[in-house]
Structures are given as structure tokens and as C-alpha cells.
Amino acid sequence: MELYPLKFQPLYKYRIWGGEKLKTELGKNYSENLIGESWEISDVNNDETIVIEGPLKGLTLKQLTKRFKGDFLGETVYTAFGNNFPLLIKFIDAKTPLSIQVHPSNEIAKSRHNSFGKNEMWYVMQAEKEAELIIGFKEDLSPKQYEQYLKDGKILDVMNHEVVSKGDTFYIPTGRVHAIGAGVLLAEIQQTSDITYRIYDYDRVDNTTGEKRELHNDLAKDVIDFSVHDTYKTQYNKTVNQSNTLVHSPYFKTNFLKVEGNITKDYSNLDSFVIYMCVDGNTQIEWKNDIFTLKKGETLLLPASIKNISLSSTSCELLEVYL
């Protein structure tokens, strides 16, 4: 059976801070309240996304990987990761702030949790006025000073706050303390990992449990990078109808691709799957005389065996992701 461009059924995740924008802004279909995350493509254990259309409908991401190997992932990717899909793709809606948190490196995550680390990036799709992200520190701190701020409940005072708007992009390597603020809708690309160390959570109570959420400060303290940077925001070009480098890291590569009219993409020199996240507008993707539609809030995976496609749109903005 031949591989083709694939869409997956998202997994909708309750979060104490979730809102309604995944439904109202991105057209997601669910009935639960406080849905904060839409896992678009996931190979996390017990949270594997499933193909929703075509001959491969019903197969999980893991089943696809095991069945098609290098044709699906790319030979180089399959050699590196085997049957483990390396990325987790999400849309996130924060009605209220996320906890202040940090993620462990590959080495620490492997030794402590038998997991990948969690290097990630954010692309802001929509933000309320004065909505912000918290990324890194704004002043030099020693670990001892950091612990005192934490003990006094004043950790927010030394965090770097960034007021954001549509298109703002941030890369968050492991060790960088961060949080999504209230009123932000974003696309998140990350390694396949669900390991988060929660540092501060506003002393709030989760109504589903009646208790405060667990903090992980003992685990976090030797993970944190205290380096201060001049800027945390990613600068990038937005040239129409070409792939503009957005975030190229050792763990994934993401480009910004704005489509106006008709373009062709040739992936002959790329030994990897490609993921399109539609962050604005809509587009039609043609492959072997088949048409696949992609609209804002949807995600499509091109298996590595697909090398040539055409895209057409009056105006569409995509994140193009690969290894």
C-alpha cells in the first residue's frame, strides 16, 4: 500500500488553564470544557494519534512507523530513532497562565524518565492585548538567589516577560525556564516528550482534584540554565512563496512558508518526513492528481517518500517542519 499525505485525529487535552479558542479560532470539534491543548501528531505512549482518512485510516503513528520505516520517516531519521516518532506537534490555548516550568535535557530525561528531553518552539497565532510569554531570566541570578525568590513567591519578578503578537516566535531549549501567559494561542513544535518540571503555579487549585498541582523543584533545580540573553525572540524573514528559516535546531527544523498563488515544492534532497501546520488562511495541496485541503488549525504530514507536491492559495501561512 502506498503512502500519501496524512491527517490525524487530534487529541484534546483538559488543562486547568485551557479556554475555548481551539474551538472558536481553529474550528476544533469537542464538547469538553477547559481544553488547553490539541495534540495534532503524537507518538507519546497511550496518546498516539490515528490517521483519519484514506486507505491507512485507523492506523496509529507508531503502526505507520513500524510498517513503512524509512519510507515514512526518512532513512536517516529511521536509523536515528527507529520506531519512535521524534516530534510532538500541538496547538495550545492559554486562557489563564501556564505554570512556570522547565524541561530536562536528553541526557537527564533519559536517565530519570527513559524519555527524550523537551526542546521546543512557539509560534504565536493570536494574542490578546498585552498578552505575554515568560521566557528566561531578565537578570543574573545565583542558584541560591533563585531559590530565595521561589521561597518568597516572587519568582515572576526576575523572569523575562515578552508582550507578544501574531507571528512572534521563540525557541525554548531545555533548561530555559518559561511559561505561556493568559490570552495566547500558539503552535508548539517539540521533541516527543511529556516531561515537565513545574516550578511555580500561582497557588491555584485544580477543580477536578480539589488540590494544588504538584511542583517539581527538587528535580528542576539542577536542570535550570541561569544564563541571561539580550533577546529571546527569533528574527526571521517572511518572503512570499519560499521557505524562510524560522528555527533550525539539532532536534527539528521549522520554516515559515507564506503561499500566495501556486508554488511547487521539491523535497528530493530531504531525507525526512515534512509536517505542515496551517497557522493562517487555507491551501490546497496537490499530489499525484489528488487534492488535500488544509485550513487554519489543521496539520498534514507528508511521508518521506513524497518528494514533489504543489500548493495553491489566495493567502496561507504554514509552518514547514522536518528533521
Side-chain angles (χ1 to χ4, degrees):
M1 188 177 293
E2 188 178 36
L3 285 162
Y4 54 91
L6 297 164
K7 283 185 180 178
F8 295 82
Q9 175 61 49
L11 299 170
Y12 300 120
K13 297 292 185 177
Y14 162 83
R15 297 291 184 257
I16 189 175
W17 39 260
E20 293 291 319
K21 286 184 186 174
L22 296 175
K23 189 182 292 184
T24 59
E25 294 280 334
L26 303 188
K28 300 296 183 183
N29 184 22
Y30 55 85
S31 56
E32 302 90 341
N33 294 319
L34 297 177
I35 297 297
E37 301 189 11
S38 175
W39 289 21
E40 299 287 300
I41 297 177
S42 169
D43 190 39
V44 173
N45 282 345
N46 301 315
D47 277 312
E48 296 170 31
T49 46
I50 294 171
V51 178
I52 57 172
E53 57 192 13
L56 298 172
K57 180 179 179 179
L59 290 185
T60 66
L61 196 57
K62 181 74 78 185
Q63 288 169 330
L64 287 170
T65 305
K66 286 181 175 178
R67 182 167 171 178
F68 294 103
K69 301 181 171 61
D71 284 345
F72 181 55
L73 291 186
E75 295 297 343
T76 307
V77 179
Y78 188 74
T79 298
F81 294 95
N83 294 323
N84 299 309
F85 194 82
L87 299 182
L88 174 56
I89 305 295
K90 302 177 181 178
F91 293 114
I92 296 180
D93 168 30
K95 185 176 182 179
T96 57
L98 274 69
S99 62
I100 309 296
Q101 57 190 241
V102 69
H103 304 304
S105 65
N106 275 345
E107 295 73 25
I108 292 174
K110 178 70 175 174
S111 65
R112 290 181 181 174
H113 313 285
N114 194 30
S115 169
F116 290 127
K118 195 174 175 184
N119 291 271
E120 62 189 18
M121 65 162 281
W122 293 334
Y123 175 91
V124 176
M125 296 174 67
Q126 189 265 343
E128 306 293 326
K129 187 178 181 182
E130 299 302 312
E132 62 182 27
L133 301 175
I134 295 174
I135 301 172
F137 296 102
K138 66 180 181 183
E139 60 186 67
D140 289 311
L141 289 178
S142 68
K144 189 173 182 180
Q145 288 172 314
Y146 160 79
E147 290 196 11
Q148 190 63 49
Y149 275 107
L150 204 57
K151 185 178 177 182
D152 294 342
K154 294 182 177 179
I155 191 64
L156 291 171
D157 295 349
V158 289
M159 301 301 301
N160 171 55
H161 298 250
E162 303 258 1
V163 175
V164 294
S165 57
K166 182 187 173 202
D168 286 351
T169 299
F170 297 86
Y171 178 55
I172 300 143
T174 58
R176 185 166 295 170
V177 177
H178 61 277
I180 303 172
V184 178
L185 174 70
L186 56 75
E188 181 176 86
I189 297 150
Q190 59 165 88
Q191 292 175 274
T192 295
S193 169
D194 202 26
I195 307 298
T196 294
Y197 296 159
R198 209 177 285 127
I199 291 169
Y200 176 72
D201 198 33
Y202 305 91
D203 290 322
R204 57 189 163 186
V205 172
D206 187 336
N207 289 332
T208 62
T209 63
E211 298 178 354
K212 294 179 183 179
R213 297 194 297 171
E214 182 182 3
L215 300 179
H216 312 97
N217 282 306
D218 283 346
L219 289 169
K221 62 186 179 184
D222 60 349
V223 168
I224 294 170
D225 175 8
F226 289 100
S227 305
V228 175
H229 299 265
D230 292 336
T231 181
Y232 293 89
K233 189 189 296 188
T234 300
Q235 303 299 320
Y236 63 100
N237 296 320
K238 295 185 179 181
T239 308
V240 174
N241 292 338
Q242 76 176 43
S243 296
N244 299 273
T245 298
L246 192 56
V247 171
H248 282 200
S249 78
Y251 310 99
F252 52 80
K253 295 176 173 62
T254 302
N255 300 322
F256 178 82
L257 175 59
K258 183 166 186 174
V259 181
E260 291 183 358
N262 300 291
I263 65 170
T264 58
K265 295 293 291 183
D266 182 351
Y267 293 113
S268 299
N269 293 324
L270 184 66
D271 187 20
S272 170
F273 59 89
V274 177
I275 293 169
Y276 288 145
M277 300 184 80
C278 187
V279 292
D280 204 8
N282 58 77
T283 185
Q284 289 192 327
I285 297 165
E286 183 175 351
W287 172 75
K288 288 193 172 182
N289 298 317
D290 285 329
I291 301 291
F292 301 83
T293 60
L294 195 62
K295 65 179 189 292
K296 181 180 177 181
E298 289 187 330
T299 303
L300 184 82
L301 188 151
L302 300 177
S305 58
I306 294 177
K307 297 302 182 185
N308 294 279
I309 61 160
S310 301
L311 300 104
S312 61
S313 176
T314 53
S315 183
C316 176
E317 295 178 357
L318 302 172
L319 303 184
E320 177 188 43
V321 186
Y322 51 89
L323 259 59

